[in-house]
Short mmCIF file of all heavy atoms in Angstrom, two decimals:
data_model
loop_
_atom_site.label_atom_id
_atom_site.label_comp_id
_atom_site.label_asym_id
_atom_site.label_seq_id
_atom_site.Cartn_x
_atom_site.Cartn_y
_atom_site.Cartn_z
N ALA O 7 328.65 155.48 46.10
CA ALA O 7 327.69 155.49 45.02
C ALA O 7 327.35 154.05 44.53
O ALA O 7 326.18 153.69 44.33
CB ALA O 7 328.22 156.31 43.78
N ALA O 8 328.42 153.19 44.48
CA ALA O 8 328.24 151.82 44.07
C ALA O 8 327.43 151.05 45.14
O ALA O 8 326.59 150.24 44.83
CB ALA O 8 329.55 151.13 43.83
N THR O 9 327.72 151.34 46.42
CA THR O 9 326.99 150.76 47.50
C THR O 9 325.55 151.16 47.42
O THR O 9 324.61 150.24 47.62
CB THR O 9 327.60 151.20 48.85
OG1 THR O 9 328.86 150.76 48.99
CG2 THR O 9 326.75 150.79 49.98
N ARG O 10 325.23 152.39 47.19
CA ARG O 10 323.88 152.81 47.03
C ARG O 10 323.13 152.08 45.95
O ARG O 10 321.88 151.63 46.06
CB ARG O 10 323.73 154.33 46.82
CG ARG O 10 322.33 154.92 46.84
CD ARG O 10 322.35 156.36 46.99
NE ARG O 10 323.23 157.05 46.07
CZ ARG O 10 324.43 157.65 46.28
NH1 ARG O 10 324.92 157.65 47.53
NH2 ARG O 10 325.14 158.25 45.30
N ALA O 11 323.76 151.91 44.80
CA ALA O 11 323.11 151.20 43.66
C ALA O 11 322.92 149.69 44.01
O ALA O 11 321.82 149.15 43.65
CB ALA O 11 324.11 151.27 42.47
N VAL O 12 323.83 149.07 44.74
CA VAL O 12 323.58 147.66 45.12
C VAL O 12 322.43 147.59 46.17
O VAL O 12 321.60 146.66 46.01
CB VAL O 12 324.92 147.05 45.70
CG1 VAL O 12 324.58 145.73 46.45
CG2 VAL O 12 325.93 146.88 44.59
N GLU O 13 322.41 148.50 47.07
CA GLU O 13 321.31 148.47 48.05
C GLU O 13 319.99 148.64 47.34
O GLU O 13 318.94 148.08 47.77
CB GLU O 13 321.48 149.63 49.09
CG GLU O 13 322.70 149.31 50.06
CD GLU O 13 322.75 150.39 51.11
OE1 GLU O 13 321.94 151.26 51.13
OE2 GLU O 13 323.66 150.40 51.93
N GLN O 14 319.91 149.49 46.33
CA GLN O 14 318.64 149.63 45.59
C GLN O 14 318.19 148.31 44.97
O GLN O 14 317.05 147.98 44.97
CB GLN O 14 318.75 150.75 44.58
CG GLN O 14 318.94 152.13 45.12
CD GLN O 14 319.29 153.17 44.07
OE1 GLN O 14 319.75 152.89 42.97
NE2 GLN O 14 319.19 154.47 44.46
N VAL O 15 319.17 147.58 44.44
CA VAL O 15 318.87 146.29 43.79
C VAL O 15 318.36 145.32 44.87
O VAL O 15 317.40 144.56 44.73
CB VAL O 15 320.06 145.68 43.08
CG1 VAL O 15 319.76 144.22 42.69
CG2 VAL O 15 320.48 146.57 41.89
N VAL O 16 319.06 145.28 46.02
CA VAL O 16 318.65 144.47 47.14
C VAL O 16 317.23 144.75 47.59
O VAL O 16 316.42 143.78 47.75
CB VAL O 16 319.66 144.52 48.35
CG1 VAL O 16 319.08 143.80 49.58
CG2 VAL O 16 321.02 144.01 47.98
N ALA O 17 316.87 146.04 47.65
CA ALA O 17 315.57 146.43 48.09
C ALA O 17 314.53 145.99 47.00
O ALA O 17 313.37 145.53 47.38
CB ALA O 17 315.48 147.95 48.24
N ARG O 18 314.89 146.08 45.75
CA ARG O 18 313.91 145.66 44.68
C ARG O 18 313.72 144.13 44.73
O ARG O 18 312.55 143.65 44.56
CB ARG O 18 314.54 146.01 43.37
CG ARG O 18 314.49 147.46 42.94
CD ARG O 18 314.97 147.72 41.58
NE ARG O 18 315.41 149.06 41.43
CZ ARG O 18 316.67 149.44 41.00
NH1 ARG O 18 317.55 148.48 40.72
NH2 ARG O 18 316.90 150.75 40.91
N LEU O 19 314.81 143.41 44.95
CA LEU O 19 314.58 141.90 45.10
C LEU O 19 313.74 141.55 46.34
O LEU O 19 312.93 140.73 46.24
CB LEU O 19 316.00 141.23 45.22
CG LEU O 19 316.82 141.21 43.95
CD1 LEU O 19 318.31 140.86 44.31
CD2 LEU O 19 316.24 140.26 43.02
N ALA O 20 314.00 142.19 47.38
CA ALA O 20 313.19 141.94 48.56
C ALA O 20 311.69 142.25 48.33
O ALA O 20 310.80 141.50 48.70
CB ALA O 20 313.73 142.73 49.77
N ALA O 21 311.48 143.41 47.69
CA ALA O 21 310.08 143.74 47.42
C ALA O 21 309.39 142.82 46.39
O ALA O 21 308.18 142.64 46.41
CB ALA O 21 310.07 145.19 46.80
N SER O 22 310.17 142.14 45.61
CA SER O 22 309.59 141.26 44.66
C SER O 22 309.21 139.86 45.27
O SER O 22 308.66 139.00 44.58
CB SER O 22 310.66 140.94 43.51
OG SER O 22 311.65 140.11 43.86
N GLY O 23 309.67 139.66 46.59
CA GLY O 23 309.32 138.44 47.15
C GLY O 23 310.55 137.50 47.58
O GLY O 23 310.28 136.50 48.17
N THR O 24 311.70 137.91 47.08
CA THR O 24 312.88 137.08 47.43
C THR O 24 313.30 137.41 48.87
O THR O 24 313.43 138.59 49.25
CB THR O 24 314.05 137.38 46.48
OG1 THR O 24 313.68 137.19 45.11
CG2 THR O 24 315.29 136.63 46.83
N LYS O 25 313.52 136.33 49.65
CA LYS O 25 314.00 136.53 51.06
C LYS O 25 315.50 136.81 50.96
O LYS O 25 316.17 135.92 50.51
CB LYS O 25 313.68 135.29 51.87
CG LYS O 25 314.28 135.38 53.29
CD LYS O 25 313.67 136.54 54.11
CE LYS O 25 314.25 136.59 55.43
NZ LYS O 25 313.59 137.66 56.35
N ILE O 26 315.97 137.93 51.51
CA ILE O 26 317.27 138.25 51.55
C ILE O 26 317.89 137.91 52.91
O ILE O 26 317.39 138.37 53.92
CB ILE O 26 317.61 139.69 51.24
CG1 ILE O 26 316.93 140.11 49.87
CG2 ILE O 26 319.09 140.04 51.29
CD1 ILE O 26 317.57 139.53 48.75
N ILE O 27 319.03 137.19 52.97
CA ILE O 27 319.73 136.88 54.24
C ILE O 27 321.14 137.39 53.93
O ILE O 27 321.87 136.80 53.09
CB ILE O 27 319.75 135.41 54.61
CG1 ILE O 27 318.32 135.02 54.79
CG2 ILE O 27 320.48 135.24 55.91
CD1 ILE O 27 318.16 133.48 55.08
N MET O 28 321.62 138.44 54.66
CA MET O 28 322.83 139.23 54.22
C MET O 28 323.69 139.47 55.48
O MET O 28 323.26 139.83 56.51
CB MET O 28 322.36 140.46 53.61
CG MET O 28 323.50 141.41 53.21
SD MET O 28 322.71 142.87 52.29
CE MET O 28 323.91 144.11 52.63
N THR O 29 325.05 139.33 55.28
CA THR O 29 325.99 139.85 56.23
C THR O 29 326.48 141.21 55.83
O THR O 29 326.58 141.48 54.68
CB THR O 29 327.18 138.83 56.38
OG1 THR O 29 327.91 138.87 55.13
CG2 THR O 29 326.74 137.46 56.75
N THR O 30 326.76 142.08 56.77
CA THR O 30 327.42 143.34 56.45
C THR O 30 328.12 143.83 57.75
O THR O 30 327.81 143.41 58.85
CB THR O 30 326.33 144.42 56.14
OG1 THR O 30 326.95 145.65 55.86
CG2 THR O 30 325.37 144.71 57.23
N HIS O 31 329.14 144.60 57.52
CA HIS O 31 329.89 145.32 58.64
C HIS O 31 329.46 146.69 58.73
O HIS O 31 329.97 147.52 59.62
CB HIS O 31 331.41 145.25 58.38
CG HIS O 31 331.81 146.06 57.24
ND1 HIS O 31 331.74 145.65 55.83
CD2 HIS O 31 332.33 147.36 57.15
CE1 HIS O 31 332.14 146.58 55.02
NE2 HIS O 31 332.47 147.62 55.77
N ASP O 32 328.57 147.15 57.86
CA ASP O 32 328.10 148.53 57.79
C ASP O 32 326.80 148.76 58.56
O ASP O 32 325.74 148.29 58.00
CB ASP O 32 327.95 148.90 56.28
CG ASP O 32 327.62 150.35 56.04
OD1 ASP O 32 327.07 151.07 56.91
OD2 ASP O 32 327.76 150.88 54.93
N LEU O 33 326.91 149.28 59.75
CA LEU O 33 325.68 149.54 60.55
C LEU O 33 324.63 150.35 59.82
O LEU O 33 323.42 150.15 60.00
CB LEU O 33 326.00 150.06 61.88
CG LEU O 33 326.81 149.08 62.82
CD1 LEU O 33 327.12 149.77 64.11
CD2 LEU O 33 325.87 147.81 63.07
N GLY O 34 325.08 151.39 59.14
CA GLY O 34 324.16 152.24 58.32
C GLY O 34 323.36 151.49 57.35
O GLY O 34 322.20 151.58 57.17
N GLN O 35 324.06 150.53 56.68
CA GLN O 35 323.41 149.67 55.66
C GLN O 35 322.38 148.75 56.33
O GLN O 35 321.28 148.51 55.84
CB GLN O 35 324.48 148.87 54.96
CG GLN O 35 323.93 147.96 53.82
CD GLN O 35 325.15 147.42 53.10
OE1 GLN O 35 325.71 146.38 53.44
NE2 GLN O 35 325.38 147.92 51.93
N ALA O 36 322.85 148.20 57.50
CA ALA O 36 321.93 147.35 58.23
C ALA O 36 320.66 148.07 58.65
O ALA O 36 319.51 147.56 58.55
CB ALA O 36 322.58 146.74 59.49
N ARG O 37 320.83 149.33 59.08
CA ARG O 37 319.62 150.07 59.42
C ARG O 37 318.74 150.34 58.26
O ARG O 37 317.45 150.35 58.39
CB ARG O 37 320.07 151.45 60.03
CG ARG O 37 320.68 151.34 61.43
CD ARG O 37 321.17 152.75 61.85
NE ARG O 37 321.95 152.73 63.13
CZ ARG O 37 321.38 152.89 64.34
NH1 ARG O 37 320.06 153.00 64.39
NH2 ARG O 37 322.20 152.89 65.36
N ARG O 38 319.30 150.62 57.16
CA ARG O 38 318.53 150.93 55.94
C ARG O 38 317.82 149.71 55.35
O ARG O 38 316.67 149.85 54.84
CB ARG O 38 319.47 151.51 54.78
CG ARG O 38 319.95 152.83 55.11
CD ARG O 38 320.70 153.45 53.90
NE ARG O 38 321.95 152.80 53.55
CZ ARG O 38 323.15 153.05 54.08
NH1 ARG O 38 323.23 154.04 55.00
NH2 ARG O 38 324.24 152.34 53.62
N LEU O 39 318.39 148.53 55.50
CA LEU O 39 317.79 147.33 54.76
C LEU O 39 317.10 146.32 55.71
O LEU O 39 316.19 145.64 55.17
CB LEU O 39 318.90 146.61 54.04
CG LEU O 39 319.60 147.37 52.89
CD1 LEU O 39 320.74 146.50 52.32
CD2 LEU O 39 318.60 147.66 51.75
N ALA O 40 317.47 146.27 56.91
CA ALA O 40 316.99 145.13 57.72
C ALA O 40 315.55 145.18 58.11
O ALA O 40 315.03 146.20 58.57
CB ALA O 40 317.88 144.99 59.03
N GLY O 41 314.88 143.97 58.12
CA GLY O 41 313.61 143.85 58.76
C GLY O 41 313.83 143.21 60.15
O GLY O 41 313.12 143.63 61.05
N ASP O 42 314.86 142.37 60.19
CA ASP O 42 315.28 141.85 61.51
C ASP O 42 316.80 141.68 61.46
O ASP O 42 317.42 141.59 60.41
CB ASP O 42 314.54 140.54 61.80
CG ASP O 42 314.84 139.44 60.72
OD1 ASP O 42 314.54 139.70 59.63
OD2 ASP O 42 315.27 138.29 61.07
N VAL O 43 317.35 141.64 62.68
CA VAL O 43 318.86 141.62 62.87
C VAL O 43 319.22 140.40 63.65
O VAL O 43 318.64 140.12 64.71
CB VAL O 43 319.30 142.90 63.52
CG1 VAL O 43 320.83 142.79 63.88
CG2 VAL O 43 319.07 144.16 62.63
N VAL O 44 320.24 139.71 63.18
CA VAL O 44 320.92 138.66 63.92
C VAL O 44 322.22 139.23 64.37
O VAL O 44 323.01 139.62 63.52
CB VAL O 44 321.06 137.42 63.07
CG1 VAL O 44 321.90 136.27 63.82
CG2 VAL O 44 319.75 136.82 62.65
N PHE O 45 322.48 139.25 65.69
CA PHE O 45 323.77 139.74 66.22
C PHE O 45 324.55 138.64 66.69
O PHE O 45 324.18 137.79 67.66
CB PHE O 45 323.49 140.77 67.43
CG PHE O 45 324.78 141.20 68.08
CD1 PHE O 45 325.74 141.97 67.32
CD2 PHE O 45 325.08 140.80 69.37
CE1 PHE O 45 326.88 142.33 67.88
CE2 PHE O 45 326.24 141.28 69.95
CZ PHE O 45 327.21 142.01 69.21
N LEU O 46 325.72 138.42 66.12
CA LEU O 46 326.62 137.31 66.37
C LEU O 46 327.86 137.87 67.18
O LEU O 46 328.36 138.93 66.85
CB LEU O 46 327.25 136.64 65.16
CG LEU O 46 326.51 135.47 64.43
CD1 LEU O 46 327.31 134.99 63.27
CD2 LEU O 46 326.35 134.31 65.43
N HIS O 47 328.28 137.12 68.15
CA HIS O 47 329.45 137.52 68.99
C HIS O 47 330.16 136.23 69.38
O HIS O 47 329.52 135.35 70.04
CB HIS O 47 329.06 138.36 70.14
CG HIS O 47 330.24 138.74 71.06
ND1 HIS O 47 331.25 139.42 70.58
CD2 HIS O 47 330.44 138.56 72.41
CE1 HIS O 47 332.10 139.64 71.50
NE2 HIS O 47 331.66 139.15 72.64
N ARG O 48 331.41 136.13 68.95
CA ARG O 48 332.22 134.99 69.34
C ARG O 48 331.48 133.63 69.03
O ARG O 48 331.51 132.75 69.87
CB ARG O 48 332.66 135.00 70.78
CG ARG O 48 333.58 136.20 71.05
CD ARG O 48 334.15 136.22 72.45
NE ARG O 48 335.11 137.28 72.69
CZ ARG O 48 335.75 137.57 73.70
NH1 ARG O 48 335.62 136.73 74.76
NH2 ARG O 48 336.55 138.55 73.84
N GLY O 49 330.89 133.58 67.80
CA GLY O 49 330.31 132.38 67.36
C GLY O 49 328.89 132.02 67.91
O GLY O 49 328.45 130.91 67.67
N GLN O 50 328.33 132.95 68.71
CA GLN O 50 327.03 132.70 69.27
C GLN O 50 326.03 133.76 68.88
O GLN O 50 326.43 134.96 68.75
CB GLN O 50 327.09 132.54 70.72
CG GLN O 50 327.78 131.34 71.27
CD GLN O 50 327.73 131.23 72.77
OE1 GLN O 50 328.31 132.00 73.52
NE2 GLN O 50 326.94 130.31 73.27
N VAL O 51 324.92 133.39 68.65
CA VAL O 51 323.77 134.38 68.37
C VAL O 51 323.29 134.96 69.72
O VAL O 51 322.67 134.26 70.55
CB VAL O 51 322.55 133.75 67.71
CG1 VAL O 51 321.37 134.81 67.55
CG2 VAL O 51 322.96 133.32 66.24
N LEU O 52 323.62 136.19 69.98
CA LEU O 52 323.19 136.84 71.24
C LEU O 52 321.84 137.49 71.14
O LEU O 52 321.13 137.68 72.12
CB LEU O 52 324.25 137.85 71.72
CG LEU O 52 325.63 137.28 72.04
CD1 LEU O 52 326.51 138.38 72.72
CD2 LEU O 52 325.56 136.09 72.92
N GLU O 53 321.51 138.00 69.90
CA GLU O 53 320.22 138.58 69.72
C GLU O 53 319.65 138.30 68.34
O GLU O 53 320.50 138.21 67.36
CB GLU O 53 320.28 140.11 69.88
CG GLU O 53 320.74 140.64 71.31
CD GLU O 53 320.42 142.05 71.59
OE1 GLU O 53 319.38 142.49 71.03
OE2 GLU O 53 321.26 142.69 72.23
#
């Protein structure tokens, strides 16, 4: 529930024009929020 509330705030900020750059370990959250994805592996950007 708290995660959902935070995601709603993040979405509002993004909609207002703030650029969000965010790390997460939650793939569901990444799917819900991301416009683009940076995939890091062993210190390198692979995608």
Side-chain angles (χ1 to χ4, degrees):
T9 294
R10 185 164 54 251
V12 168
E13 288 182 4
Q14 289 170 349
V15 173
V16 171
R18 289 184 203 122
L19 286 168
S22 77
T24 301
K25 176 64 183 186
I26 304 293
I27 303 175
M28 172 177 158
T29 65
T30 183
H31 67 279
D32 183 337
L33 289 178
Q35 183 172 79
R37 290 176 185 270
R38 290 188 293 272
L39 294 176
D42 58 304
V43 171
V44 175
F45 175 65
L46 269 181
H47 178 55
R48 296 187 178 182
Q50 292 186 288
V51 174
L52 297 190
E53 299 197 35

